[in-house]
Amino acid sequence: MKKILFLAVIPLALSISSCEKKTGADVIVFADSIYTSNENNQFVEAFAIKNGKYVAVGSKKDVERFLGKNTVVYNAKFAMSGGIESHGHWILNEAFKLGFYIDPMNYKDGEPKPKTFNQILDEIKEYRIQHPEEKGIYGYGIDVTKNYFPDLKAFDEAFPDIPVFISESSLHGAYVNSKCFEMAGVLNEDKDGIKIDRDEKGHVIGIARDEACTYIRNKIFGAVVSPENYKIAVRNAARELNSYGYVMHYDTWSNFDGTDEMYKAIHAADEEGNLDFLFSSAYCIESFEKDKIDEMILKTLELKNTYTSNHFKPTMLKLFADGIVESGTGFRIDPYNTDPKDYGTQIWDASTMTSIVDKANEVGISVHIHTMGDAACKEAVDAFVYSYGNNGYIRNSLAHVAMIREDELKRIKQYDIGVTSGANWASQITQDDIDTSSVFISEDVLRNLYPYKEYVDYGIKAALHTDNPCSPGNLDLFGYIQVMLNGWDHSKPINKDTFIRRNTGFVTLKDAIDMFTINGAWMNNLENERGSIEVGKYADFIFTNKNPFEQKVDDVWQVGITNTFFEGKEVYSNPAM
C-alpha cells in the first residue's frame, strides 16, 4: 500500500478569496517534516508549487493560503530536495546493455561467483556465431579484478582474424586480443601517451587500461553505440535515476565513442517534451589528441551553444589527470610499492593541463578533472588557480580525489573549487581488496583513501556521485548516505559488525544530504535554480517512507523513496510503498 496519500483538496477551516481559489498553487505538500537543504539547514512543514517552482515554503499556516479549487495536495511523512548525481555514466551503461553485454558474475548454484575467463570466452564465441557479419566484436560488462587476466593464446586462437575488445563496466580496463592491438598499431610498441600492459619480454598480455582503452576503441571501432540506442538509453537512465531519488545527473564523458550522438539524443528528448529530468554533460579531451586541443575546446563551446536547452546543460570540458590509485595508475607524490621510481600515470604534463584549463575558461567553459592521486590533484588545482588569475572566477571542479594533501584542501576552499567525491569507493574494504591492492599500496594507504569528511571539516562545498557503473556499490540515495554516516554498505555481503573500516571519517546526515542536493547544484552552477526547497527554485523533490532523521545511524539505508517529483510533476511512484 502506498504510504503517501493523494487528496484532491483538503477541507480547511480558513477563508480563501475567490481570486485566490482561481489562482491557487498547482501543488501543495504538507509533511510531518521537510528538510530544505537551504543555508539555514531549515526544517519546514509545507510548500506550494506554481508552474513548476516553489511559491511558498514554511509552516502549514503559511502555505494554506495558496490553496485553490484545482490545487493537488499531497500528505507525506518526509520530504527533501531530490538527489543530484554529480559524476557518472548512466546513459552509457544503459546504452551498452542494449548491445553485447557480458555480466561478470555467474548466478547459478547459490551465491554469485565471478565468471572465469573461459566462461567469458565462450560467450564471445557464441556472440560471433550469432553475428557472423560483424568485422569486429565490441562488448561490455566484465570486471578484470573479478574475472582475472585473459588467456591471450586461447583468445587469439578463437579470434585470429577480427579485433575483439571487451570493456570493463568501469570503462578503465578491457580484454583485447592481439588482432585488435595490431590494428591499433600498438602490438609491438607503445604510442606517445599510450602505455600497454606487457610481460617481461615486451609482449602484450591482453589487457588495456585507462587511455589505452580509449585509444584502441576509437582507432578500431569508432562509434560503439547507435543513435537509436542512445535515445532509448536516455529515457532508461532517467527512469532508473528517478527510482533511486535523483532528479539531475552530470554525465562526464558524453563523447565517449567520439561522436555527438549522446548530445543529440538528450537534446531531442527535451525538445520533444520527453525529458522530465535534468542532464548536464562534459566533452572529454584525451591526451593522445593533444594536437587538437584548440579545435576540441571550440568543439565543446559549439556543443554548448547548439544543444543547451531547458533540461540539458552541456557546459563542461573533461580531462583525465591520471588513472586509479588501487591499480597503480593514479599519479602520486610518493612512489608505489612496485618501484621507487614509479609514481603512477601522469596523463597530461602540468604545463599542457594548465594551458587547456586557461583556454577553456577564457571562452566560458568550466573544466572537470578526474584526479585520484595527490600529485594529480595538485596539478589540477595549480591549473585552476593559474586560470583564475588570468580569467577571473569560473567554477572548475575535481572528481574522485582518492588522495589529497592539506595544501590542496586549503586552496580548494580559498579559490572555491568544486569537488565531487565517491563514497562508494570509501566504504568498507575486504581482505581481497587489501591483497589485490598490496602490489601497489600499503594497507594503511588503502584505508585512508577518499577522505570526504575533510571537505566538511574545511568548509568545502563537496558534492557526491555514484560514478555508476564504474564504482560498485549503492545506487539508491539512502543506501549511499548510509556509507557516508558509518562506512557500512548494506549492498555488500559483509557482516556490519566485523567489516574492515577505512580510517576515513564520517559526516552527519545533514552534511550527507546537502552534499547530494545543494552542493551538487552548486558544483554544476545551478544553485540559484535547484538543489534546495526555496521560493523561486524549481520544485524537484522526493518523499520517503520514513524520516531519516528519526532513524538509528545503522538503519538509514532502510529509508525508501516512495515518490520522485521533477518541476512539481510526479515522475516516479514506488509500487511497493
Side-chain angles (χ1 to χ4, degrees):
M1 179 181 293
K2 289 183 67 174
K3 301 295 181 67
I4 306 304
L5 301 177
F6 171 84
L7 302 175
V9 178
I10 294 180
L12 294 166
L14 72 156
S15 174
I16 304 175
S17 70
S18 59
C19 179
E20 285 176 314
K21 288 182 179 181
K22 290 179 181 178
T23 61
D26 299 326
V27 174
I28 285 180
V29 171
F30 296 112
D32 295 343
S33 181
I34 300 169
Y35 180 60
T36 61
S37 288
N38 69 16
E39 62 182 7
N40 298 317
N41 289 321
Q42 186 180 8
F43 288 87
V44 297
E45 298 176 316
F47 55 77
I49 301 164
K50 184 77 172 178
N51 297 325
K53 293 186 176 183
Y54 300 110
V55 292
V57 177
S59 69
K60 290 181 179 179
K61 186 176 180 180
D62 293 332
V63 175
E64 283 173 348
R65 64 188 178 88
F66 287 86
L67 277 165
K69 64 179 182 180
N70 296 318
T71 301
V72 175
V73 179
Y74 291 90
N75 284 330
K77 287 188 175 180
F78 178 81
M80 57 172 269
S81 195
I84 295 175
E85 158 69 294
S86 291
H87 179 110
H89 315 280
W90 291 66
I91 296 174
L92 279 175
N93 190 42
E94 292 301 317
F96 287 141
K97 287 179 181 178
L98 299 170
F100 179 30
Y101 176 73
I102 299 178
D103 193 315
M105 304 301 288
N106 194 335
Y107 297 95
K108 296 180 180 179
D109 304 322
E111 186 175 322
K113 295 181 180 179
K115 291 176 182 173
T116 65
F117 174 73
N118 285 335
Q119 289 173 322
I120 291 172
L121 186 60
D122 286 342
E123 290 189 47
I124 304 171
K125 290 177 181 177
E126 180 62 27
Y127 181 83
R128 189 180 190 189
I129 291 172
Q130 299 297 326
H131 300 83
E133 76 287 354
E134 294 193 6
K135 305 299 183 183
I137 298 175
Y138 181 91
Y140 167 80
I142 64 164
D143 184 338
V144 171
T145 62
K146 288 186 174 69
N147 302 128
Y148 318 109
F149 290 122
D151 179 343
L152 187 59
K153 182 179 179 182
F155 205 2
D156 289 343
E157 287 176 351
F159 304 100
D161 56 337
I162 63 169
V164 181
F165 186 107
I166 310 297
S167 173
E168 282 191 313
S169 57
S170 74
L171 311 179
H172 284 278
Y175 288 159
V176 181
N177 72 338
S178 292
K179 187 65 176 178
C180 199
F181 282 120
E182 178 188 336
M183 292 176 65
V186 292
L187 180 64
N188 299 314
E189 62 180 4
D190 296 348
K191 295 291 186 182
D192 185 27
I194 303 301
K195 185 177 184 300
I196 306 296
D197 285 27
R198 302 178 186 276
D199 63 19
E200 63 278 1
K201 295 182 180 180
H203 298 149
V204 294
I205 63 172
I207 294 286
R209 301 183 194 273
D210 300 318
E211 288 216 329
C213 288
T214 307
Y215 178 82
I216 294 169
R217 183 190 65 244
N218 290 2
K219 189 82 171 176
I220 304 304
F221 294 92
V224 292
V225 178
S226 69
E228 293 74 21
N229 281 357
Y230 265 133
K231 291 177 182 178
I232 297 169
V234 168
R235 294 194 296 271
N236 290 350
R239 282 197 293 265
E240 186 175 13
L241 282 155
N242 284 155
S243 73
Y244 289 124
Y246 299 101
V247 292
M248 175 181 169
H249 170 41
Y250 173 30
D251 184 280
T252 52
W253 205 352
S254 300
N255 61 322
F256 176 85
D257 59 355
T259 75
D260 302 348
E261 292 302 330
M262 186 188 294
Y263 289 88
K264 293 176 182 177
I266 301 172
H267 181 74
D270 196 22
E271 291 295 292
E272 293 164 6
N274 297 323
L275 193 59
D276 295 320
F277 194 83
L278 182 64
F279 284 105
S280 61
S281 70
Y283 191 84
C284 186
I285 301 179
E286 309 290 348
S287 65
F288 52 80
E289 299 169 315
K290 60 185 179 183
D291 59 332
K292 302 178 182 178
I293 289 172
D294 290 347
E295 173 187 335
M296 298 187 82
I297 290 173
L298 291 177
K299 176 68 174 180
T300 308
L301 185 61
E302 175 192 344
L303 292 168
K304 176 182 177 180
N305 293 336
T306 301
Y307 294 113
T308 295
S309 60
N310 289 338
H311 301 141
F312 184 33
K313 311 297 180 184
T315 59
M316 300 189 201
L317 182 149
K318 162 85 175 289
L319 299 174
F320 284 94
D322 62 349
I324 301 171
V325 171
E326 294 91 329
S327 63
T329 56
F331 184 34
R332 296 184 61 197
I333 291 173
D334 296 324
Y336 285 96
N337 296 344
T338 48
D339 185 331
K341 295 182 180 179
D342 181 10
Y343 296 91
T345 303
Q346 181 187 19
I347 291 179
W348 295 94
D349 66 83
S351 62
T352 304
M353 177 179 283
T354 299
S355 176
I356 294 171
V357 172
D358 191 41
K359 289 178 178 180
N361 288 175
E362 185 179 6
V363 295
I365 297 292
S366 298
V367 181
H368 184 71
I369 303 182
H370 164 116
T371 63
M372 286 289 195
D374 46 5
C377 181
K378 179 182 184 303
E379 183 180 279
V381 173
D382 285 344
F384 293 159
V385 172
Y386 177 85
S387 175
Y388 295 164
N390 285 345
N391 302 302
Y393 180 72
I394 187 168
R395 195 161 297 157
N396 298 312
S397 55
L398 306 174
H400 314 312
V401 197
M403 307 177 74
I404 188 169
R405 300 208 172 190
E406 185 176 11
D407 286 349
E408 272 55 75
L409 287 165
K410 290 179 178 178
R411 289 199 294 165
I412 289 170
K413 172 62 176 175
Q414 178 184 354
Y415 290 95
D416 232 8
I417 295 169
V419 179
T420 179
S421 179
N424 273 340
W425 287 341
S427 64
Q428 73 267 17
I429 52 179
T430 65
Q431 191 60 48
D432 285 344
D433 295 327
I434 295 171
D435 293 342
T436 301
S437 297
S438 63
V439 176
F440 304 104
I441 55 177
S442 68
E443 180 177 338
D444 182 61
V445 171
L446 181 66
R447 283 175 175 265
N448 284 284
L449 298 181
Y450 310 104
Y452 53 82
K453 183 178 183 296
E454 295 191 25
Y455 303 131
V456 176
D457 293 342
Y458 277 80
I460 294 167
K461 300 184 190 77
L464 290 174
H465 64 268
T466 68
D467 202 13
N468 180 47
C470 299
S471 174
N474 275 289
L475 299 178
D476 61 288
L477 201 61
F478 286 97
Y480 194 110
I481 285 173
Q482 179 71 71
V483 176
M484 303 289 291
L485 304 182
N486 66 355
W488 170 245
D489 183 343
H490 78 93
S491 70
K492 297 179 180 177
I494 304 171
N495 188 313
K496 71 177 180 181
D497 297 319
T498 60
F499 72 84
I500 303 172
R501 269 183 213 276
R502 294 187 184 270
N503 296 333
T504 306
F506 306 114
V507 302
T508 69
L509 179 59
K510 282 185 180 181
D511 288 332
I513 291 176
D514 287 350
M515 293 168 86
F516 253 134
T517 54
I518 188 60
N519 290 9
W522 180 87
M523 197 200 82
N524 285 274
N525 287 287
L526 293 168
E527 72 274 18
N528 294 323
E529 300 178 23
R530 301 178 190 265
S532 61
I533 298 174
E534 299 183 74
V535 172
K537 290 190 176 184
Y538 286 103
D540 306 332
F541 58 94
I542 60 173
F543 295 158
T544 65
N545 64 339
K546 300 177 181 180
N547 183 339
F549 290 93
E550 295 176 351
Q551 308 306 305
K552 294 179 180 179
V553 71
D554 286 346
D555 296 335
V556 169
W557 67 272
Q558 297 180 24
V559 175
I561 309 298
T562 62
N563 306 74
T564 302
F565 293 78
F566 181 75
E567 297 183 356
K569 175 183 176 182
E570 184 180 69
V571 292
Y572 170 76
S573 177
N574 189 332
M577 293 184 183

